[in-house]
Short mmCIF file of all heavy atoms in Angstrom, two decimals:
data_model
loop_
_atom_site.label_atom_id
_atom_site.label_comp_id
_atom_site.label_asym_id
_atom_site.label_seq_id
_atom_site.Cartn_x
_atom_site.Cartn_y
_atom_site.Cartn_z
N MET A 6 35.96 -12.62 -25.31
CA MET A 6 34.91 -13.29 -24.57
C MET A 6 33.68 -13.50 -25.44
O MET A 6 33.06 -14.54 -25.37
CB MET A 6 34.60 -12.48 -23.32
CG MET A 6 33.65 -13.16 -22.41
SD MET A 6 34.43 -14.62 -21.71
CE MET A 6 33.32 -15.02 -20.45
N LYS A 7 33.32 -12.52 -26.23
CA LYS A 7 32.14 -12.66 -27.08
C LYS A 7 32.34 -13.75 -28.13
O LYS A 7 31.40 -14.44 -28.49
CB LYS A 7 31.79 -11.34 -27.74
CG LYS A 7 31.22 -10.34 -26.77
CD LYS A 7 30.50 -9.25 -27.51
CE LYS A 7 29.95 -8.29 -26.51
NZ LYS A 7 28.52 -8.31 -26.48
N THR A 8 33.57 -13.90 -28.61
CA THR A 8 33.86 -14.95 -29.59
C THR A 8 33.64 -16.31 -28.96
O THR A 8 33.03 -17.20 -29.58
CB THR A 8 35.30 -14.83 -30.10
OG1 THR A 8 35.48 -13.53 -30.65
CG2 THR A 8 35.58 -15.88 -31.15
N MET A 9 34.08 -16.49 -27.73
CA MET A 9 33.90 -17.76 -27.03
C MET A 9 32.42 -18.02 -26.78
O MET A 9 31.95 -19.15 -26.90
CB MET A 9 34.68 -17.73 -25.71
CG MET A 9 34.69 -19.04 -25.03
SD MET A 9 35.54 -20.22 -26.08
CE MET A 9 36.10 -21.34 -24.88
N GLN A 10 31.68 -17.00 -26.43
CA GLN A 10 30.25 -17.15 -26.17
C GLN A 10 29.51 -17.54 -27.45
O GLN A 10 28.66 -18.42 -27.44
CB GLN A 10 29.70 -15.84 -25.62
CG GLN A 10 28.28 -15.90 -25.16
CD GLN A 10 27.84 -14.59 -24.56
OE1 GLN A 10 28.37 -13.53 -24.90
NE2 GLN A 10 26.88 -14.63 -23.66
N ARG A 11 29.84 -16.91 -28.55
CA ARG A 11 29.21 -17.26 -29.83
C ARG A 11 29.56 -18.68 -30.24
O ARG A 11 28.72 -19.41 -30.76
CB ARG A 11 29.65 -16.28 -30.92
CG ARG A 11 29.01 -14.94 -30.78
CD ARG A 11 29.41 -14.02 -31.90
NE ARG A 11 28.83 -12.71 -31.71
CZ ARG A 11 29.27 -11.61 -32.24
NH1 ARG A 11 30.34 -11.64 -33.02
NH2 ARG A 11 28.68 -10.47 -32.03
N PHE A 12 30.79 -19.08 -29.99
CA PHE A 12 31.21 -20.45 -30.29
C PHE A 12 30.41 -21.45 -29.46
O PHE A 12 29.95 -22.46 -29.98
CB PHE A 12 32.71 -20.63 -30.04
CG PHE A 12 33.18 -22.04 -30.22
CD1 PHE A 12 33.32 -22.57 -31.49
CD2 PHE A 12 33.43 -22.84 -29.12
CE1 PHE A 12 33.74 -23.88 -31.66
CE2 PHE A 12 33.84 -24.15 -29.28
CZ PHE A 12 33.99 -24.67 -30.55
N ALA A 13 30.22 -21.15 -28.18
CA ALA A 13 29.49 -22.06 -27.31
C ALA A 13 28.03 -22.20 -27.74
O ALA A 13 27.49 -23.30 -27.79
CB ALA A 13 29.56 -21.58 -25.86
N ILE A 14 27.40 -21.09 -28.08
CA ILE A 14 26.02 -21.12 -28.54
C ILE A 14 25.91 -21.89 -29.85
O ILE A 14 25.00 -22.70 -30.04
CB ILE A 14 25.45 -19.70 -28.66
CG1 ILE A 14 25.33 -19.08 -27.27
CG2 ILE A 14 24.11 -19.70 -29.37
CD1 ILE A 14 24.97 -17.62 -27.27
N SER A 15 26.84 -21.67 -30.75
CA SER A 15 26.83 -22.40 -32.02
C SER A 15 27.04 -23.89 -31.80
O SER A 15 26.39 -24.72 -32.44
CB SER A 15 27.92 -21.86 -32.95
OG SER A 15 27.70 -20.52 -33.26
N ALA A 16 27.94 -24.24 -30.89
CA ALA A 16 28.19 -25.66 -30.61
C ALA A 16 26.95 -26.33 -30.03
O ALA A 16 26.62 -27.47 -30.41
CB ALA A 16 29.36 -25.79 -29.64
N VAL A 17 26.24 -25.64 -29.15
CA VAL A 17 25.02 -26.20 -28.58
C VAL A 17 23.96 -26.38 -29.66
O VAL A 17 23.27 -27.41 -29.72
CB VAL A 17 24.49 -25.31 -27.43
CG1 VAL A 17 23.09 -25.72 -27.02
CG2 VAL A 17 25.43 -25.36 -26.25
N ALA A 18 23.82 -25.40 -30.54
CA ALA A 18 22.83 -25.49 -31.61
C ALA A 18 23.16 -26.64 -32.56
O ALA A 18 22.26 -27.39 -32.96
CB ALA A 18 22.77 -24.17 -32.38
N ILE A 19 24.41 -26.81 -32.91
CA ILE A 19 24.81 -27.90 -33.80
C ILE A 19 24.58 -29.25 -33.13
O ILE A 19 24.04 -30.19 -33.75
CB ILE A 19 26.27 -27.73 -34.24
CG1 ILE A 19 26.39 -26.54 -35.19
CG2 ILE A 19 26.79 -29.00 -34.91
CD1 ILE A 19 27.81 -26.12 -35.49
N ALA A 20 24.94 -29.36 -31.86
CA ALA A 20 24.72 -30.61 -31.14
C ALA A 20 23.24 -30.94 -31.05
O ALA A 20 22.84 -32.11 -31.17
CB ALA A 20 25.33 -30.51 -29.74
N MET A 21 22.42 -29.92 -30.86
CA MET A 21 20.97 -30.14 -30.79
C MET A 21 20.44 -30.66 -32.12
O MET A 21 19.65 -31.61 -32.16
CB MET A 21 20.27 -28.84 -30.43
CG MET A 21 18.77 -28.99 -30.28
SD MET A 21 17.95 -27.44 -29.92
CE MET A 21 17.94 -26.69 -31.53
N LEU A 22 20.88 -30.06 -33.22
CA LEU A 22 20.40 -30.51 -34.53
C LEU A 22 20.84 -31.93 -34.84
O LEU A 22 20.06 -32.73 -35.37
CB LEU A 22 20.91 -29.55 -35.62
CG LEU A 22 20.29 -28.16 -35.60
CD1 LEU A 22 20.99 -27.27 -36.63
CD2 LEU A 22 18.81 -28.23 -35.89
N ILE A 23 22.06 -32.28 -34.48
CA ILE A 23 22.55 -33.64 -34.72
C ILE A 23 21.78 -34.64 -33.86
O ILE A 23 21.39 -35.71 -34.33
CB ILE A 23 24.06 -33.72 -34.45
CG1 ILE A 23 24.81 -32.94 -35.54
CG2 ILE A 23 24.53 -35.17 -34.41
CD1 ILE A 23 26.28 -32.77 -35.28
N SER A 24 21.54 -34.28 -32.61
CA SER A 24 20.85 -35.21 -31.72
C SER A 24 19.39 -35.39 -32.08
O SER A 24 18.80 -36.42 -31.77
CB SER A 24 20.98 -34.75 -30.27
OG SER A 24 20.28 -33.54 -30.08
N LEU A 25 18.79 -34.43 -32.75
CA LEU A 25 17.39 -34.58 -33.15
C LEU A 25 17.22 -35.65 -34.22
O LEU A 25 16.12 -36.16 -34.42
CB LEU A 25 16.82 -33.25 -33.64
CG LEU A 25 16.57 -32.21 -32.56
CD1 LEU A 25 16.05 -30.92 -33.18
CD2 LEU A 25 15.59 -32.71 -31.52
N GLY A 26 18.30 -36.02 -34.87
CA GLY A 26 18.23 -37.12 -35.84
C GLY A 26 17.87 -38.43 -35.18
O GLY A 26 17.32 -39.33 -35.81
N GLY A 27 18.14 -38.57 -33.90
CA GLY A 27 17.81 -39.78 -33.17
C GLY A 27 16.36 -39.82 -32.71
O GLY A 27 15.95 -40.77 -32.05
N CYS A 28 15.59 -38.83 -33.03
CA CYS A 28 14.20 -38.76 -32.58
C CYS A 28 13.23 -39.50 -33.50
O CYS A 28 12.03 -39.46 -33.28
CB CYS A 28 13.75 -37.30 -32.47
SG CYS A 28 14.57 -36.38 -31.17
N ALA A 29 13.73 -40.17 -34.52
CA ALA A 29 12.85 -40.80 -35.50
C ALA A 29 11.95 -41.85 -34.88
O ALA A 29 10.80 -41.99 -35.26
CB ALA A 29 13.68 -41.40 -36.62
N GLY A 30 12.45 -42.62 -33.90
CA GLY A 30 11.64 -43.67 -33.30
C GLY A 30 10.86 -43.23 -32.07
O GLY A 30 10.19 -44.04 -31.45
N MET A 31 10.91 -41.96 -31.73
CA MET A 31 10.24 -41.46 -30.54
C MET A 31 8.78 -41.13 -30.83
O MET A 31 8.40 -40.88 -31.97
CB MET A 31 10.94 -40.20 -30.02
CG MET A 31 12.33 -40.43 -29.50
SD MET A 31 13.16 -38.89 -29.05
CE MET A 31 12.26 -38.44 -27.58
N SER A 32 7.99 -41.08 -29.77
CA SER A 32 6.60 -40.64 -29.91
C SER A 32 6.59 -39.14 -30.21
O SER A 32 7.58 -38.45 -30.03
CB SER A 32 5.84 -40.90 -28.62
OG SER A 32 6.31 -40.06 -27.59
N ARG A 33 5.47 -38.66 -30.65
CA ARG A 33 5.34 -37.24 -30.97
C ARG A 33 5.56 -36.39 -29.71
O ARG A 33 6.19 -35.34 -29.76
CB ARG A 33 3.96 -36.96 -31.57
CG ARG A 33 3.80 -35.56 -32.09
CD ARG A 33 4.69 -35.37 -33.29
NE ARG A 33 4.51 -34.03 -33.80
CZ ARG A 33 5.41 -33.38 -34.48
NH1 ARG A 33 6.55 -33.95 -34.77
NH2 ARG A 33 5.19 -32.18 -34.91
N GLN A 34 5.07 -36.86 -28.58
CA GLN A 34 5.25 -36.13 -27.33
C GLN A 34 6.72 -36.10 -26.93
O GLN A 34 7.23 -35.08 -26.48
CB GLN A 34 4.41 -36.76 -26.23
CG GLN A 34 4.37 -35.93 -24.97
CD GLN A 34 3.39 -36.48 -23.97
OE1 GLN A 34 3.15 -37.68 -23.91
NE2 GLN A 34 2.79 -35.61 -23.19
N GLY A 35 7.42 -37.20 -27.11
CA GLY A 35 8.85 -37.25 -26.80
C GLY A 35 9.65 -36.33 -27.70
O GLY A 35 10.59 -35.67 -27.26
N GLN A 36 9.28 -36.28 -28.97
CA GLN A 36 9.96 -35.38 -29.90
C GLN A 36 9.75 -33.93 -29.50
O GLN A 36 10.70 -33.14 -29.49
CB GLN A 36 9.43 -35.60 -31.32
CG GLN A 36 9.84 -36.90 -31.94
CD GLN A 36 9.21 -37.11 -33.31
OE1 GLN A 36 8.33 -36.36 -33.72
NE2 GLN A 36 9.64 -38.14 -34.01
N ASN A 37 8.51 -33.58 -29.16
CA ASN A 37 8.23 -32.20 -28.77
C ASN A 37 8.96 -31.83 -27.48
O ASN A 37 9.41 -30.69 -27.33
CB ASN A 37 6.73 -31.98 -28.61
CG ASN A 37 6.02 -31.91 -29.94
OD1 ASN A 37 6.64 -31.70 -30.97
ND2 ASN A 37 4.72 -32.10 -29.92
N THR A 38 9.09 -32.78 -26.56
CA THR A 38 9.82 -32.52 -25.32
C THR A 38 11.29 -32.25 -25.61
O THR A 38 11.89 -31.30 -25.08
CB THR A 38 9.67 -33.70 -24.35
OG1 THR A 38 8.28 -33.92 -24.08
CG2 THR A 38 10.41 -33.46 -23.05
N ALA A 39 11.89 -33.08 -26.46
CA ALA A 39 13.30 -32.91 -26.81
C ALA A 39 13.54 -31.61 -27.56
O ALA A 39 14.50 -30.88 -27.27
CB ALA A 39 13.78 -34.10 -27.65
N ILE A 40 12.68 -31.30 -28.50
CA ILE A 40 12.82 -30.05 -29.25
C ILE A 40 12.64 -28.85 -28.34
O ILE A 40 13.41 -27.88 -28.39
CB ILE A 40 11.82 -30.02 -30.43
CG1 ILE A 40 12.21 -31.07 -31.47
CG2 ILE A 40 11.75 -28.63 -31.05
CD1 ILE A 40 11.14 -31.31 -32.52
N GLY A 41 11.64 -28.90 -27.47
CA GLY A 41 11.42 -27.80 -26.53
C GLY A 41 12.60 -27.58 -25.60
O GLY A 41 12.99 -26.45 -25.33
N ALA A 42 13.20 -28.68 -25.13
CA ALA A 42 14.36 -28.57 -24.24
C ALA A 42 15.54 -27.96 -24.97
O ALA A 42 16.26 -27.11 -24.43
CB ALA A 42 14.73 -29.94 -23.68
N GLY A 43 15.76 -28.36 -26.21
CA GLY A 43 16.87 -27.81 -26.99
C GLY A 43 16.69 -26.34 -27.29
O GLY A 43 17.62 -25.53 -27.10
N VAL A 44 15.51 -25.98 -27.72
CA VAL A 44 15.24 -24.58 -28.03
C VAL A 44 15.28 -23.73 -26.76
O VAL A 44 15.83 -22.63 -26.75
CB VAL A 44 13.87 -24.43 -28.75
CG1 VAL A 44 13.45 -22.99 -28.88
CG2 VAL A 44 13.93 -25.09 -30.11
N GLY A 45 14.75 -24.28 -25.67
CA GLY A 45 14.79 -23.56 -24.40
C GLY A 45 16.21 -23.34 -23.90
O GLY A 45 16.54 -22.29 -23.35
N ALA A 46 17.07 -24.36 -24.08
CA ALA A 46 18.46 -24.23 -23.66
C ALA A 46 19.17 -23.13 -24.43
O ALA A 46 19.89 -22.30 -23.85
CB ALA A 46 19.20 -25.55 -23.84
N VAL A 47 18.98 -23.10 -25.72
CA VAL A 47 19.61 -22.05 -26.54
C VAL A 47 19.04 -20.68 -26.17
O VAL A 47 19.78 -19.72 -25.99
CB VAL A 47 19.42 -22.35 -28.05
CG1 VAL A 47 19.88 -21.18 -28.89
CG2 VAL A 47 20.18 -23.61 -28.44
N GLY A 48 17.72 -20.61 -26.01
CA GLY A 48 17.10 -19.34 -25.63
C GLY A 48 17.56 -18.86 -24.27
O GLY A 48 17.86 -17.68 -24.07
N GLY A 49 17.65 -19.78 -23.30
CA GLY A 49 18.12 -19.42 -21.97
C GLY A 49 19.55 -18.94 -21.99
O GLY A 49 19.92 -18.00 -21.28
N ALA A 50 20.39 -19.60 -22.79
CA ALA A 50 21.79 -19.18 -22.90
C ALA A 50 21.91 -17.80 -23.52
O ALA A 50 22.70 -16.97 -23.06
CB ALA A 50 22.58 -20.20 -23.73
N VAL A 51 21.12 -17.54 -24.53
CA VAL A 51 21.19 -16.24 -25.20
C VAL A 51 20.68 -15.13 -24.28
O VAL A 51 21.31 -14.07 -24.16
CB VAL A 51 20.37 -16.26 -26.52
CG1 VAL A 51 20.18 -14.87 -27.08
CG2 VAL A 51 21.05 -17.16 -27.54
N LEU A 52 19.57 -15.38 -23.60
CA LEU A 52 18.97 -14.34 -22.76
C LEU A 52 19.79 -14.02 -21.52
O LEU A 52 19.72 -12.90 -21.00
CB LEU A 52 17.55 -14.75 -22.34
CG LEU A 52 16.52 -14.75 -23.46
CD1 LEU A 52 15.19 -15.29 -22.96
CD2 LEU A 52 16.34 -13.35 -24.04
N THR A 53 20.54 -14.99 -21.02
CA THR A 53 21.31 -14.77 -19.79
C THR A 53 22.79 -14.56 -20.05
O THR A 53 23.59 -14.60 -19.12
CB THR A 53 21.12 -15.93 -18.81
OG1 THR A 53 21.61 -17.13 -19.42
CG2 THR A 53 19.67 -16.09 -18.41
N GLY A 54 23.17 -14.41 -21.29
CA GLY A 54 24.57 -14.18 -21.60
C GLY A 54 25.43 -15.42 -21.47
O GLY A 54 26.61 -15.33 -21.22
N GLY A 55 24.84 -16.59 -21.61
CA GLY A 55 25.60 -17.83 -21.58
C GLY A 55 25.77 -18.44 -20.20
O GLY A 55 26.59 -19.34 -20.03
N SER A 56 25.01 -17.99 -19.22
CA SER A 56 25.16 -18.56 -17.88
C SER A 56 24.63 -19.99 -17.83
O SER A 56 23.70 -20.34 -18.55
CB SER A 56 24.45 -17.71 -16.83
OG SER A 56 23.06 -17.94 -16.86
N THR A 57 25.24 -20.79 -17.00
CA THR A 57 24.82 -22.19 -16.87
C THR A 57 23.41 -22.30 -16.33
O THR A 57 22.61 -23.10 -16.82
CB THR A 57 25.80 -22.94 -15.94
OG1 THR A 57 27.12 -22.79 -16.44
CG2 THR A 57 25.45 -24.40 -15.85
N GLY A 58 23.10 -21.51 -15.34
CA GLY A 58 21.76 -21.54 -14.75
C GLY A 58 20.68 -21.17 -15.76
O GLY A 58 19.62 -21.78 -15.79
N GLY A 59 20.95 -20.17 -16.58
CA GLY A 59 19.99 -19.77 -17.60
C GLY A 59 19.78 -20.84 -18.65
O GLY A 59 18.67 -21.07 -19.11
N THR A 60 20.87 -21.52 -19.01
CA THR A 60 20.78 -22.58 -20.01
C THR A 60 19.97 -23.76 -19.46
O THR A 60 19.09 -24.27 -20.13
CB THR A 60 22.18 -23.06 -20.42
OG1 THR A 60 22.92 -21.93 -20.89
CG2 THR A 60 22.11 -24.11 -21.50
N ILE A 61 20.26 -24.16 -18.22
CA ILE A 61 19.54 -25.29 -17.62
C ILE A 61 18.08 -24.93 -17.37
O ILE A 61 17.18 -25.72 -17.64
CB ILE A 61 20.23 -25.71 -16.31
CG1 ILE A 61 21.60 -26.31 -16.63
CG2 ILE A 61 19.38 -26.71 -15.53
CD1 ILE A 61 22.46 -26.57 -15.42
N GLY A 62 17.84 -23.72 -16.89
CA GLY A 62 16.47 -23.27 -16.67
C GLY A 62 15.67 -23.20 -17.96
O GLY A 62 14.51 -23.61 -18.01
N GLY A 63 16.29 -22.69 -19.01
CA GLY A 63 15.62 -22.63 -20.30
C GLY A 63 15.31 -24.00 -20.85
O GLY A 63 14.23 -24.24 -21.41
N ALA A 64 16.23 -24.95 -20.66
CA ALA A 64 15.99 -26.32 -21.12
C ALA A 64 14.83 -26.94 -20.36
O ALA A 64 13.99 -27.63 -20.94
CB ALA A 64 17.25 -27.16 -20.96
N ALA A 65 14.78 -26.71 -19.05
CA ALA A 65 13.70 -27.28 -18.24
C ALA A 65 12.35 -26.71 -18.65
O ALA A 65 11.38 -27.46 -18.87
CB ALA A 65 13.97 -27.01 -16.76
N VAL A 66 12.28 -25.40 -18.78
CA VAL A 66 11.01 -24.76 -19.16
C VAL A 66 10.60 -25.17 -20.57
O VAL A 66 9.43 -25.50 -20.82
CB VAL A 66 11.11 -23.22 -19.03
CG1 VAL A 66 9.90 -22.54 -19.62
CG2 VAL A 66 11.30 -22.82 -17.57
N GLY A 67 11.55 -25.19 -21.49
CA GLY A 67 11.25 -25.60 -22.86
C GLY A 67 10.78 -27.04 -22.94
O GLY A 67 9.86 -27.37 -23.70
N GLY A 68 11.41 -27.92 -22.17
CA GLY A 68 11.00 -29.33 -22.16
C GLY A 68 9.59 -29.50 -21.62
O GLY A 68 8.80 -30.29 -22.16
N ILE A 69 9.26 -28.78 -20.58
CA ILE A 69 7.90 -28.85 -20.01
C ILE A 69 6.88 -28.34 -21.01
O ILE A 69 5.83 -28.96 -21.22
CB ILE A 69 7.83 -28.09 -18.69
CG1 ILE A 69 8.65 -28.80 -17.61
CG2 ILE A 69 6.38 -27.91 -18.23
CD1 ILE A 69 8.86 -28.01 -16.35
N ILE A 70 7.17 -27.23 -21.64
CA ILE A 70 6.24 -26.67 -22.62
C ILE A 70 6.07 -27.62 -23.80
O ILE A 70 4.95 -27.88 -24.25
CB ILE A 70 6.70 -25.27 -23.09
CG1 ILE A 70 6.57 -24.28 -21.94
CG2 ILE A 70 5.90 -24.81 -24.31
CD1 ILE A 70 7.17 -22.92 -22.21
N GLY A 71 7.19 -28.17 -24.30
CA GLY A 71 7.11 -29.12 -25.41
C GLY A 71 6.31 -30.36 -25.05
O GLY A 71 5.56 -30.90 -25.86
N HIS A 72 6.44 -30.82 -23.82
CA HIS A 72 5.70 -31.99 -23.35
C HIS A 72 4.20 -31.71 -23.26
O HIS A 72 3.38 -32.54 -23.66
CB HIS A 72 6.25 -32.42 -21.99
CG HIS A 72 5.60 -33.64 -21.44
ND1 HIS A 72 4.50 -33.59 -20.61
CD2 HIS A 72 5.89 -34.95 -21.62
CE1 HIS A 72 4.16 -34.82 -20.29
NE2 HIS A 72 4.99 -35.66 -20.88
N GLU A 73 3.86 -30.54 -22.76
CA GLU A 73 2.47 -30.21 -22.53
C GLU A 73 1.73 -29.84 -23.82
O GLU A 73 0.50 -29.95 -23.87
CB GLU A 73 2.34 -29.05 -21.52
CG GLU A 73 2.80 -29.45 -20.14
CD GLU A 73 1.99 -30.59 -19.54
OE1 GLU A 73 0.75 -30.59 -19.66
OE2 GLU A 73 2.61 -31.51 -18.97
N ILE A 74 2.44 -29.41 -24.83
CA ILE A 74 1.78 -29.02 -26.09
C ILE A 74 1.07 -30.22 -26.73
O ILE A 74 0.01 -30.08 -27.31
CB ILE A 74 2.81 -28.42 -27.07
CG1 ILE A 74 3.14 -27.01 -26.66
CG2 ILE A 74 2.31 -28.44 -28.51
CD1 ILE A 74 4.21 -26.35 -27.50
N THR A 75 1.63 -31.40 -26.59
CA THR A 75 1.10 -32.58 -27.25
C THR A 75 -0.13 -33.13 -26.55
O THR A 75 -0.89 -33.85 -27.16
CB THR A 75 2.19 -33.66 -27.31
OG1 THR A 75 3.40 -33.06 -27.76
CG2 THR A 75 1.83 -34.75 -28.27
N GLN A 76 -0.34 -32.82 -25.29
CA GLN A 76 -1.47 -33.41 -24.55
C GLN A 76 -2.77 -32.86 -24.95
O GLN A 76 -3.25 -32.08 -25.40
CB GLN A 76 -1.26 -33.24 -23.07
CG GLN A 76 -0.14 -34.08 -22.57
CD GLN A 76 0.00 -34.01 -21.06
OE1 GLN A 76 -0.71 -33.30 -20.38
NE2 GLN A 76 0.95 -34.75 -20.55
#
């Protein structure tokens, strides 16, 4: 089970890094929102043991924080 959990976290992190390449044309606020959501999702997954609710909650909180930092 731990191997599967580590694989899932690694897959999310890799997908996040690849998707950030598409942020080149975004505003600074949009970039910070996307980065915050990605980091929050990974953090939420790690803190809750990979639960879906923790991952979604972390992404939401991270996105809000990333959005508000730029204002």
